Amino acid sequence: MFTPEGKVRPHYEEFNVFLSKVSNKKMNQLQFSANKAQKAMGMTFNVYHDNQGLEKILHLDIIPRIIPNSEWRKLEAGLKQRIFALNLFLQDIYNEQKILKDGIIPSDLILGSKDYLKPCIGLTPPKGIWCHITGTDLVKDKDGEYYILEDNLRCPSGVSYMLENREAMLRLFPGLCSDHRLAPVGHYPEELLETLKEAAPPNCKGAPRVAILTPGHFNSAYYEHCFLADEMGVEVV
């Protein structure tokens, strides 16, 4: 929100004016309400290997991280390009392995990995799409540039918290949110459902049946499984 010199960044100026009119007591009350709402909605997760076995909330900081549109457009374009490249990479290492033969990546790094699935060698999934959902971990460094920590392609989770947090912010700051042109996020479940339907094999007869597979309520992402299934109108299995 602030530069190292203590100046408010341009895209935070309106929010700073809003904050200056709200007392610390009120902000603490809003944060407390947000925490209680998360608990009431069941927005909790289990921490693996936590001996106490307590369910915890994924803390929502009511001071938003604001990304200006110009910055987001660059991020969005880069992420699309990256995910497209990741799909091509997976297709290659399970088929022609050109990237290994050309020495761009050492063969041992891929073929010796415990996560390299030999039963997938020679496989091409429907429409050539390997990763239908990708969770990309981003950080912003002190130089102001975004960097990627990791790409979660197998079981990415966390999107339900983002969707619910947006709803919580709309309730906490209705006037502030309505005054800004926020990029919508509520269409995510609809797009997810379409993505899952398109993953059906070409010889699928009739409309594809979609379900959310879950290990059960002891899984750390069980809340998300139920939330997404409910939003898409499909079964939890």
Side-chain angles (χ1 to χ4, degrees):
M1 182 170 175
F2 297 93
T3 66
E5 296 74 35
K7 293 183 179 179
V8 179
R9 299 186 191 277
H11 55 283
Y12 269 101
E13 286 177 354
E14 287 186 50
F15 186 74
N16 186 54
V17 172
F18 166 80
L19 274 184
S20 66
K21 299 176 183 178
V22 183
S23 67
N24 287 344
K25 182 179 179 181
K26 178 64 174 176
M27 289 299 292
N28 285 331
Q29 288 175 342
L30 289 171
Q31 184 66 68
F32 179 77
S33 297
N35 294 346
K36 294 287 283 185
Q38 283 184 295
K39 273 281 181 75
M41 290 188 291
M43 290 177 63
T44 58
F45 68 99
N46 296 316
V47 180
Y48 290 131
H49 310 302
D50 185 341
N51 294 330
Q52 295 180 347
L54 297 176
E55 289 191 335
K56 301 179 180 180
I57 61 171
L58 197 67
H59 181 70
L60 165 62
D61 187 346
I62 61 172
I63 303 298
R65 172 67 61 91
I66 300 174
I67 301 175
N69 186 57
S70 58
E71 202 171 278
W72 176 251
R73 291 300 173 202
K74 181 181 177 182
L75 264 180
E76 183 181 38
L79 288 170
K80 285 180 178 179
Q81 184 186 58
R82 185 180 183 87
I83 294 164
F84 186 75
L86 285 169
N87 264 297
L88 292 176
F89 168 73
L90 289 168
Q91 177 66 21
D92 182 56
I93 63 167
Y94 284 115
N95 288 275
E96 296 183 40
Q97 299 186 346
K98 290 180 181 178
I99 201 167
L100 306 182
K101 294 171 183 174
D102 291 345
I104 297 171
I105 292 179
S107 296
D108 291 347
L109 197 65
I110 301 298
L111 305 181
S113 171
K114 63 180 177 60
D115 295 315
Y116 185 70
L117 303 176
K118 291 182 180 178
C120 289
I121 294 174
L123 172 70
T124 296
K127 299 181 176 65
I129 300 173
W130 287 83
C131 48
H132 300 83
I133 310 166
T134 305
T136 308
D137 284 352
L138 293 165
V139 290
K140 196 172 189 181
D141 200 16
K142 59 185 177 182
D143 60 7
E145 289 294 327
Y146 284 94
Y147 292 90
I148 291 174
L149 289 178
E150 62 181 9
D151 301 281
N152 299 288
L153 309 183
R154 290 186 298 175
C155 299
S157 62
V159 72
S160 62
Y161 300 104
M162 179 270 292
L163 296 171
E164 289 283 47
N165 286 348
R166 171 62 67 86
E167 288 298 314
M169 292 297 287
L170 290 172
R171 289 194 292 269
L172 291 169
F173 304 123
L176 181 71
C177 292
S178 63
D179 291 341
H180 288 73
R181 293 179 61 192
L182 302 182
V185 295
H187 59 295
Y188 179 88
E190 183 181 332
E191 291 200 358
L192 176 59
L193 182 60
E194 287 305 309
T195 298
L196 295 175
K197 285 180 178 179
E198 288 180 9
N203 60 351
C204 178
K205 295 179 181 179
R209 293 185 183 182
V210 175
I212 296 285
L213 297 179
T214 179
H217 65 277
F218 290 112
N219 185 264
S220 63
Y222 183 64
Y223 165 79
E224 175 149 290
H225 302 157
C226 294
F227 173 83
L228 291 175
D230 187 53
E231 289 291 307
M232 291 190 291
V234 303
E235 299 290 339
V236 177
V237 178

